[in-house]
Amino acid sequence: MNIFEISRKAVAGMAVSLAIFSAAAEAPKYVFYFIGDGMGINEVVNAQLYKKHVLKHEKPLLMTTFPVASMATSHSASSDVTDSAAAGTALATGHKTKNGMLGMNADTVAVNSIAKVLFDNGYGVGLVTSVAIDDATPGAFYTHVPNRAQFYEIGRHLAESGYQFAAGSALRRTTDSDGNDNLLDYFAQNNVSVSYGLDSMDKTADKVLVLSPLRDRKNNNNIGYTVDSLAGAVTLPQLTRAGLEHLQRVSPDRFFMMVEGGNIDHAGHGNDGGTSVREVINFDEALQIAYDFYLAHPDETLIVVTADHETGGMSVGCQATGYSVQPQVASRQKVSKEIFNDYCEEMFNTRPDYTWAEMQQYMRDNLGFWDVVTLNPDEEERLEQKFNEIFLNRNTSDVQKTLYAAYNGFVTLTFDILNYKSGFGWTSGSHTGSPVPVYAIGTDCLLFTPLNDNIDLPKKIMKAVGIEF
């Protein structure tokens, strides 16, 4: 028997198993769709290694224990490397579209998301993200715009959606084209209760929108990174639990919930490896909440985990680490690249007498330099020279710009060294065309076993549910 005959028999056996499995299971009443924005396979592996070597947890990431572990391709209608709008549209609607377009196909025709179809069929709907609720991935489940930057219009579409729960860091534009700041009034007109944080959330309302309580942050594009431990910040697991509890109250018989780990993507754009691994672990902790619900409803629940694309071209190991990885080097990192840059900006603007010795102490305390991050004389000289160039010579032109942030040259060099020593290699500050993981458990999970394209996933979810899509 040759290898092709073996393969055909294996596929045939899988088809028989799938048919038996599908016939035995009823359509799921509860569907969870977890999307790790920017979470490629290497992001998962690095988080797994960090959890094992630094946190000393032998138990692997929950998502990697699911019975289905596959992959999906992510190209858009206009490029082999997708943006988040096109990828979000594919994952939400099953249609390819051009980069930058949201909730429309490539011909600029509005297409419905699975959330909308399920909502129209009596399902409760909840959308949770660690970034702005009008960002591309959550937006793909309720809006139809040719340009993902139409934030005011996207916000109105969310208010009109009727969905029972939505949570994220912010609404990025609340004023209309005439400058009238009326978007929150529009939510009220649509009977949506808006709160800033979970403590003030109206638990008697049918429809709620929860935004970050930290409204005065420099970057309100996300709820805050796990590594920064911002006082008073909401977390993705907290928002996930709140969304699940709300849906159990207002739509106990059936519901759909999308949860996005958007901060993984933000860390990837910034090439911040230590922050990335913590965000993947945080995302997995949010998944645990859905998994616990699944354990109580194993015959009625489907959980699908994937990503919209990979961000940054992250590697597992690099030239500095050779045939090894060193995640423990990032173990002393207490601040994200963004927070470190904010600190440097503050010192630059308020402390013209700020010294290299003071910076060394901050880096030792918050990044582990001259401790777990060992430097050779050349590396230390380069850092001091760059510090002098920025802080003493007042160079403001050395700036690395990414999609969500900008970093001065000293910050960039510092994190280049930190990544290099940790074995976190990066090839881009943007997205890549690498395939992304797909994990699934629950009713009809075997539908997701073969190699997928991103447009296949919503179609398979709807096939499992038994609603024409």
Side-chain angles (χ1 to χ4, degrees), residues 187-188 191-195 200-202 205 207-210:
F187 274 92
N191 299 314
V192 180
S193 173
V194 180
S195 69
S200 59
M201 172 182 158
D202 184 353
K207 295 182 289 184
V208 298
L209 169 63
V210 180

Side-chain angles (χ1 to χ4, degrees), residues 77 89 95-98 101 103-111 145-146:
T89 299
H95 290 270
K96 293 286 186 185
T97 195
K98 298 174 184 177
M101 295 172 60
M104 293 181 162
N105 66 20
D107 296 320
T108 324
V109 176
V111 286
V145 290

